[in-house]
Amino acid sequence: MSPVEEFATGLRTTRVRRTPEGRHEWWHGPGTDQAGPPAAPLAKAVPARTAGARLVVPRASEGGLSYLADGPYSAAAWLRDPRPAVRLLLAHALAGAGRALRDLHAGAVPDGADVPPALARLRAFLDRSAEGAADGPRTPATARNAPATAPHPPAVARLREHAVRAWGAARLGRLRSWCAELTEPGGAVLVHGFASLGALVPPLRRGPVALLTGEDLGAARPELDLGWLLGDLAELDWALPVPAHPDGPELPRVLLDAYGAGADRELTGRAAVVRVAAHMRDFAAYCGWSDELADYTAFIADLIDEEGRRAVLGGATP
């Protein structure tokens, strides 16, 4: 199999290869800052059949995990294409993701399900930031998922300083409370944990939409998964705006309508803010410092003040 695409961060190496059957293998291996291969211990809890998208679980392969999909490009890559037909493709993929996540959330939470790793990493970052902002008592982070030190400590420390200045104690407190709200045991379900546009793979020609699922499974409120996708949409619209066709579908609405009733829209908006903040923290930790991170702290400050409403509404708030 010849590679179609390959990219890596300190967290993960991703390689996409075309199979002899014309499908595509998405291989996830350890990044340069990871000591061991990725794992998906809760993958057996994922339902084999769902409405909409297929929740594709991995198999061990070549020191990593392999997922089989029918496309070589993620929804995040397709989103940069302004053609109306691509907008319809993305709407189809997001609708499929919404229905599949609904089925995933209906299943029982397996033993051993913990706070999803990305959320645990952000909680640890916010707790350390709150120490400098004198925001009150710390929320204990999940020890298994939150490493004591980041792979790029100078970049994370610099980002923490920017965040404390840009957000202040009040905004830090709100973000931390939203993280806690998303993991309240009483409302926890089995969640994907990282339902991002990068894990959503539309078919290139024929086949089901794939949502690569397994490495980040955990227990949290269902709004976490919806907010993760909506946060991606809001972030990419801010960072790399692509003119949308005036008659094209509103992608956030497509996702939420497909998921259906039961999700708290306010908490979903807050989860979208959490997603953008988690991405910012992980970029500093696994890619190093970039001056764009200072812009992110300002953008996230606006999102916190809006409680993520623009992510749910699909545009800037009035």
Side-chain angles (χ1 to χ4, degrees):
M1 292 186 291
S2 59
V4 175
E5 193 170 8
E6 186 168 348
F7 44 93
T9 68
L11 179 64
R12 174 186 292 163
T13 299
T14 299
R15 185 171 62 228
V16 183
R17 298 184 292 192
R18 184 179 175 86
T19 70
E21 299 76 26
R23 304 186 74 191
H24 291 86
E25 178 195 69
W26 288 67
W27 180 85
H28 288 171
T32 55
D33 297 316
Q34 300 301 299
L42 300 179
K44 291 183 178 180
V46 175
R49 294 190 179 187
T50 57
R54 183 167 166 243
L55 299 177
V56 179
V57 296
R59 62 178 179 84
S61 172
E62 302 176 60
L65 296 174
S66 291
Y67 301 81
L68 198 59
D70 290 291
Y73 308 114
S74 70
W78 280 112
L79 195 62
R80 302 183 182 97
D81 190 323
R83 290 176 295 175
V86 172
R87 195 78 173 179
L88 293 174
L89 174 72
L90 290 168
H92 173 69
L94 284 165
R99 290 191 288 269
L101 288 171
R102 180 83 183 198
D103 288 347
L104 176 67
H105 297 163
V109 179
D111 293 338
D114 210 335
V115 175
L119 184 59
R121 293 192 297 267
L122 177 64
R123 285 172 56 175
F125 174 82
L126 294 174
D127 285 348
R128 291 288 301 276
S129 300
E131 289 179 344
D135 187 43
R138 296 180 60 186
T139 302
T142 303
R144 180 178 68 84
N145 289 334
T149 58
H152 291 271
V156 174
R158 186 173 176 182
L159 177 61
R160 186 176 294 117
E161 293 173 1
H162 273 284
V164 169
R165 286 197 301 267
W167 299 344
R171 291 192 184 102
L172 275 170
R174 294 176 82 183
L175 261 183
R176 294 171 70 220
S177 70
W178 296 346
C179 289
E181 190 175 4
L182 286 166
T183 54
E184 289 178 348
V189 300
L190 176 63
V191 294
H192 181 287
F194 208 93
S196 67
L197 295 177
L200 184 62
V201 183
L204 190 59
R205 294 181 181 85
R206 295 182 180 179
V209 175
L211 182 57
L212 311 184
T213 306
E215 297 161 70
D216 299 278
L217 289 162
R221 288 282 299 265
E223 290 85 359
L224 177 84
D225 283 341
L226 296 173
W228 229 250
L229 283 164
L230 293 178
D232 270 4
L233 288 171
E235 179 184 341
L236 288 171
D237 184 60
W238 168 75
L240 298 167
V242 175
H245 193 276
D247 298 324
E250 296 180 19
L251 298 181
R253 177 175 293 181
V254 167
L255 172 68
L256 293 172
D257 286 351
Y259 186 84
D264 184 316
R265 294 293 175 97
E266 289 186 3
L267 184 55
T268 298
R270 295 168 184 165
V273 185
V274 168
R275 160 56 182 159
V276 181
H279 185 208
M280 179 191 70
R281 180 268 170 204
D282 281 355
F283 185 94
Y286 298 112
C287 298
W289 177 259
S290 166
D291 288 342
E292 292 182 2
L293 290 170
D295 297 330
Y296 263 81
T297 58
F299 172 54
I300 293 169
D302 289 339
L303 290 178
I304 295 170
D305 292 344
E306 300 166 0
E307 299 197 31
R309 285 188 290 274
R310 78 170 67 183
V312 174
L313 298 174
T317 57

